Amino acid sequence: MKLITAIVKPFKVDEIREALFELGIQGMTLTEVKGFGRQKGHTELYRGAEYAVDFLPKIRIELAIPDALLEAVLEAIQTSARTGRIGDGKIFVQSLDHVVRIRTGECDENAL
């Protein structure tokens, strides 16, 4: 089992969600976050004054999947999130040792 964490642009979330649902992914967690990478923020003009925006709004998507779906999920997220511009985001993959569904007590892949 794998835990996928993707940091993406907010306006790409619906496209990513639809692509993952087509693969049979039944659940995910979304969190609004702020951060920066190589783009190091940007400046904005507000009422004639220039402001530095160091942390840009992003969405953190987390989902647990069986190993068999890893490549398909990575491809779906990459294809859906890509704009070709700096700041498209990152995907992190971690191994999951044990998962328990609290309601039923099911374990591991049965709990996904």
Side-chain angles (χ1 to χ4, degrees):
M1 298 173 297
K2 302 291 185 202
L3 176 65
I4 306 294
T5 303
I7 310 295
V8 298
K9 292 182 175 185
F11 65 89
K12 288 297 204 169
V13 169
D14 288 333
E15 194 175 333
I16 294 166
R17 181 182 48 84
E18 289 173 14
L20 292 173
F21 283 164
E22 286 178 13
L23 293 176
I25 301 300
Q26 297 178 357
M28 67 184 72
T29 301
L30 297 180
T31 310
E32 292 182 12
V33 296
K34 292 185 178 194
F36 68 91
R38 289 184 180 162
Q39 80 263 26
K40 297 181 178 71
H42 65 278
T43 58
E44 289 185 2
L45 197 60
Y46 179 71
R47 294 189 178 186
E50 192 172 282
Y51 293 92
V53 179
D54 294 328
F55 293 96
L56 301 173
K58 301 286 183 179
I59 299 291
R60 178 181 174 138
I61 301 172
E62 294 176 297
L63 57 146
I65 60 168
D67 289 330
L69 289 178
L70 179 61
E71 293 305 320
V73 166
L74 292 177
E75 180 64 30
I77 294 171
Q78 287 178 58
T79 302
S80 302
R82 183 178 295 130
T83 66
R85 299 157 105 180
I86 196 163
D88 277 350
K90 295 259 189 317
I91 302 172
F92 304 96
V93 180
Q94 299 172 322
S95 293
L96 286 177
D97 295 330
H98 194 60
V99 177
V100 177
R101 184 185 311 256
I102 295 172
R103 179 178 55 88
T104 62
E106 293 172 293
C107 293
D108 300 328
E109 288 198 17
N110 292 330
L112 298 179

